Amino acid sequence: MMTGHTMKLQQLRFVSEIAKQHLNISRAALALHTSQPGVSKQIRQLEEELGVEIFARSGKHLSHLTAAGETILAHADEVLRQVSAIKAIALEHADKNAGTLGIATTHTQSRYVLPPVIGRFIGKFPRVALQLHQGSPVQISELAANGTADFAIATEALEQFSDLVMMPCYYWNRAILLPRDHPLAAGSTLSIADLARFPLVTYTFGFTGRSRLDEAFKQHGLAPNVVFTAADADVIKTYVRLGLGVGIVADMAHEADKDSDLIAIDASHLFAPSLTSIGFRRGMHLRSYMIEFIEMFAPHLSRGVIESCALTQNTQERKALLAELTVPRYADLLTVAD
Amino acid sequence: MMTGHTMKLQQLRFVSEIAKQHLNISRAALALHTSQPGVSKQIRQLEEELGVEIFARSGKHLSHLTAAGETILAHADEVLRQVSAIKAIALEHADKNAGTLGIATTHTQSRYVLPPVIGRFIGKFPRVALQLHQGSPVQISELAANGTADFAIATEALEQFSDLVMMPCYYWNRAILLPRDHPLAAGSTLSIADLARFPLVTYTFGFTGRSRLDEAFKQHGLAPNVVFTAADADVIKTYVRLGLGVGIVADMAHEADKDSDLIAIDASHLFAPSLTSIGFRRGMHLRSYMIEFIEMFAPHLSRGVIESCALTQNTQERKALLAELTVPRYADLLTVAD
DNA sequence: CGAAGTTACGGATGCCGTAATGATG
DNA sequence: CATCATTACGGCATCCGTAACTTCG
């Protein structure tokens, strides 16, 4: 018989993973829990069947994707997306209300914003196992993009991943936290210049809208004296309490009851608002409880809008869809929820 | 080890083909050149792996698709489209200018319209093997939809197939063909009523815009006396020459030189114009010579427009794209070509 | 020499085809 | 009883993992 060698899904997985692993077959094999030689051979078989090289070799290394490979990769990824959609659909129909939900997000979200949402969620979907992954915005994006998590929720650096569909959830701003005996606690309305005069304690760069903060100072030609940074507000508050400096945190992080020993001053007149978004892989099948989660988290995102976004290939169209939404501010969400 | 049973492309092919064959596994097996038991078993395995029934069984028959099956089918079809795109891409890169081009069309097109186009095409692409499939409009659609042909070119009944992307090529109308000694040959401008008074020879219903013709008579409350119908204009002309009646054929079918023994009268004032379109499977990868073929056939369709249409999922958007085109009349195409 | 890809080989999985069985109208 | 799906079974391809080889920096 002829060596018909009909294309296999595995082979497409291999192609995709090799590309994802920067053309390193060994890494790809590792990531897919299989052997290097197996991957290598399947790739060669696929290339033989297609009659085209997908990867260009220089010596014993894969140097780059060929032109054909570039295009094939895009289609292979699409195939894999569809396949995982099929699996998700099957789960959906096997049991609408059971499954898993992986959320990758930052400390701010998981510590302050998500608890009430997740509380309601597990109340309604007790048989959905929740996994919370915490990390930097970049890590979060990767977790969502590679399927470790279903959703990414964060404020910064998520738009870069073209594989992710991002939807706006709410605008928020900062709160200034002061010890009760701090000089600024007495003053009237705060200015950027006031802040620049004191040591500051805030988020590490890349976290929770830190870049917006820097912009504001820069616009006024001021250099903030940031003496301490942390990735999470709990740590920041601790150091504010020690008198190390003035805390600038997301307003979500201020808890009136537990932080009553600190003075909190709204700083929305000082900084441009930041936008927190939720994202998921393009073309991913959203299980119904996933959609409900989004609705709980961001009530202005309705099932219809979400599904349209999930299906729309074109980034421009998606933007148009989303532009019609009225995105709430976090403070307003709170009053509604209570 | 667990029986992991990873989903196979074959299984998706089976699902798709069974659905296409009206839920008849035997037919599907036949169509895919394999055995019924094999197909049956693979389907069960897939269903087992997914944990969902795709097909609902009533006794020993597949009665319908389950809800899950409906959705899964759509994704399976998409996977298969992508896979065939990958194959086409490979061919494309293996040799840009070699391959095959299957065109399914009617007699009118293949006999009168296509010859000059195909002449130019094989001049430019001598290493592309051309296959011309002839059939009724419905057959043509099926040939294109199931991949036997790459293109469908026809006037009627192509819009129904949601799997096909149709693009308008040209408007055309009818010519009246008369023997030189026919009474109508002497008269001035012809009317529908004139035609109704004589026996007519024209296309069989369902071919080459026949329905437009019937409409015109019906609008005037007239019943045409169609004494003979054929699927092709050559046959019609033959019978006109025998004096059997007045011929009504597509204007493309009138050849001034070869039909000089007949009187030809333009009938565009009597009938509404018909539109000939070219179509291909949605999402199909168009090889570059295929795009050039379309450009040769319908110069107003540029590569950019064609590719946009091929990629656009949404039917509405496609309509919008096409609405901006100026579709020429066949007669005008001729003068440009010469 | 270390890291990475390819070749060689053996075992086990699993696909497919033939034949037999069961169910349905 | 004819049609169609499922079960049973055996052969054969092929996929994968281990081990040895090669090539490049």
Side-chain angles (χ1 to χ4, degrees), chain B:
Chain B
M1 191 56 185
M2 264 282 293
T3 129
H5 273 324
T6 170
M7 191 186 311
K8 282 181 12 181
L9 280 176
Q10 281 278 8
Q11 296 172 327
L12 300 184
R13 276 190 210 102
F14 290 168
V15 169
S16 176
E17 190 63 34
I18 290 173
K20 208 172 267 173
Q21 300 291 345
H22 303 96
L23 305 178
N24 184 321
I25 293 188
S26 305
R27 284 184 174 285
L30 215 57
L32 295 173
H33 309 293
T34 185
S35 66
Q36 285 121 351
V39 176
S40 182
K41 184 167 190 184
Q42 289 304 319
I43 293 296
R44 296 233 89 127
Q45 282 196 6
L46 178 58
E47 291 180 327
E48 187 195 352
E49 176 187 351
L50 295 178
V52 184
E53 299 251 299
I54 296 172
F55 300 103
R57 277 88 167 165
S58 77
K60 282 283 177 179
H61 287 257
L62 306 190
S63 58
H64 57 89
L65 280 159
T66 63
E70 292 274 5
T71 325
I72 289 172
L73 172 62
H75 288 270
D77 281 336
E78 181 59 25
V79 167
L80 299 178
R81 266 192 291 278
Q82 298 289 335
V83 166
S84 78
I86 289 176
K87 288 178 186 164
I89 290 160
L91 286 178
E92 180 76 16
H93 286 266
D95 187 341
K96 238 179 155 48
N97 297 324
T100 65
L101 175 57
I103 303 172
T105 187
T106 58
H107 177 269
T108 306
Q109 308 297 327
S110 45
R111 168 75 176 74
Y112 298 105
V113 183
L114 288 179
V117 176
I118 287 182
R120 273 185 294 153
F121 183 82
I122 64 178
K124 179 155 186 188
F125 299 103
R127 288 169 26 254
V128 172
L130 267 164
Q131 297 154 345
L132 220 54
H133 305 266
Q134 217 166 295
S136 70
V138 174
Q139 290 171 327
I140 288 167
S141 305
E142 280 167 2
L143 289 171
N146 72 27
T148 307
D150 300 300
F151 290 148
I153 305 179
T155 297
E156 307 213 359
L158 295 188
E159 258 93 54
Q160 316 155 2
F161 280 71
S162 65
D163 278 358
L164 293 184
V165 176
M166 301 302 309
M167 309 186 61
C169 295
Y170 59 83
Y171 286 103
W172 55 270
N173 217 305
R174 282 85 188 152
I176 313 293
L177 297 182
L178 303 167
R180 294 205 164 275
D181 56 357
H182 194 280
L184 285 179
S188 52
T189 51
L190 224 57
S191 72
I192 285 274
D194 292 333
L195 288 176
R197 285 189 290 118
F198 291 91
L200 302 179
V201 183
T202 189
Y203 298 106
T204 302
F205 189 81
F207 280 78
T208 315
R210 167 68 192 270
S211 52
R212 279 287 151 70
L213 196 142
D214 293 347
E215 285 166 15
F217 283 100
K218 197 172 176 185
Q219 273 181 7
H220 290 74
L222 296 170
N225 175 23
V226 179
V227 295
F228 182 84
T229 69
D232 83 67
D234 284 329
V235 176
I236 294 172
K237 289 183 202 166
T238 303
Y239 285 81
V240 170
R241 292 193 168 99
L242 290 177
L244 206 71
V246 174
I248 308 181
V249 299
D251 58 4
M252 297 89 83
H254 172 61
E255 297 175 298
D257 47 348
K258 291 175 190 154
D259 298 337
S260 57
D261 57 328
L262 297 175
I263 305 283
I265 304 172
D266 176 60
S268 51
H269 58 299
L270 301 180
F271 304 103
S274 286
L275 176 64
T276 290
S277 298
I278 188 165
F280 49 84
R281 289 184 299 291
R282 191 161 57 81
M284 166 180 162
H285 176 80
L286 292 170
R287 301 204 41 187
S288 58
Y289 61 75
M290 293 179 179
I291 293 182
E292 291 212 40
F293 176 85
I294 298 181
E295 288 177 331
M296 289 182 184
F297 183 63
H300 67 292
L301 296 176
S302 65
R303 171 174 290 262
V305 174
I306 297 165
E307 287 179 332
S308 300
C309 282
L311 293 175
T312 300
Q313 305 276 337
N314 187 317
T315 308
Q316 295 308 318
E317 287 171 45
R318 204 153 48 224
K319 276 191 179 168
L321 265 173
L322 294 174
E324 292 178 10
L325 296 173
T326 306
V327 180
R329 291 180 306 164
Y330 178 73
D332 299 336
L333 278 180
L334 281 188
T335 59
V336 172
D338 293 344

Side-chain angles (χ1 to χ4, degrees), chain A residues 26 40 44 60:
Chain A
S26 305
S40 182
R44 296 233 89 125
K60 281 283 175 180

Side-chain angles (χ1 to χ4, degrees), chain A residues 86-306:
Chain A
I86 289 176
K87 288 178 185 164
I89 291 160
L91 285 178
E92 180 76 17
H93 285 265
D95 187 340
K96 239 179 155 48
N97 296 325
T100 65
L101 175 57
I103 302 173
T105 187
T106 58
H107 177 269
T108 306
Q109 308 297 327
S110 44
R111 168 75 175 74
Y112 299 105
V113 183
L114 289 179
V117 177
I118 287 183
R120 273 184 293 152
F121 183 82
I122 62 178
K124 179 156 186 188
F125 298 102
R127 283 164 35 250
V128 172
L130 266 163
Q131 297 153 346
L132 219 55
H133 306 265
Q134 216 167 295
S136 71
V138 174
Q139 290 171 326
I140 288 167
S141 304
E142 279 166 1
L143 289 171
N146 73 26
T148 306
D150 300 299
F151 290 147
I153 304 179
T155 295
E156 306 212 2
L158 296 189
E159 257 93 54
Q160 317 156 0
F161 280 71
S162 65
D163 278 359
L164 293 184
V165 176
M166 300 303 309
M167 309 186 64
C169 295
Y170 59 81
Y171 287 103
W172 54 269
N173 217 306
R174 282 87 190 150
I176 311 294
L177 297 181
L178 303 167
R180 292 204 165 274
D181 56 357
H182 194 280
L184 284 180
S188 52
T189 51
L190 226 55
S191 72
I192 285 275
D194 293 332
L195 287 177
R197 283 189 290 119
F198 290 91
L200 302 179
V201 182
T202 189
Y203 298 106
T204 301
F205 190 81
F207 280 77
T208 316
R210 167 67 192 270
S211 52
R212 278 288 151 70
L213 195 141
D214 293 346
E215 285 165 17
F217 283 99
K218 197 172 176 184
Q219 272 181 8
H220 289 74
L222 297 170
N225 175 25
V226 179
V227 294
F228 182 84
T229 69
D232 80 70
D234 284 328
V235 176
I236 294 173
K237 288 183 204 169
T238 303
Y239 284 80
V240 170
R241 290 193 170 100
L242 290 178
L244 206 72
V246 175
I248 309 180
V249 299
D251 57 5
M252 296 89 84
H254 172 61
E255 297 174 298
D257 48 349
K258 291 174 191 156
D259 298 337
S260 55
D261 58 327
L262 297 176
I263 304 281
I265 304 173
D266 176 59
S268 50
H269 59 297
L270 300 180
F271 305 102
S274 286
L275 175 64
T276 290
S277 298
I278 188 165
F280 49 83
R281 290 185 298 291
R282 191 162 57 81
M284 168 181 163
H285 176 80
L286 292 169
R287 302 205 41 188
S288 58
Y289 61 74
M290 293 178 179
I291 293 183
E292 291 213 42
F293 177 85
I294 298 180
E295 287 178 332
M296 289 181 184
F297 183 63
H300 67 292
L301 296 175
S302 65
R303 171 173 290 262
V305 174
I306 297 165

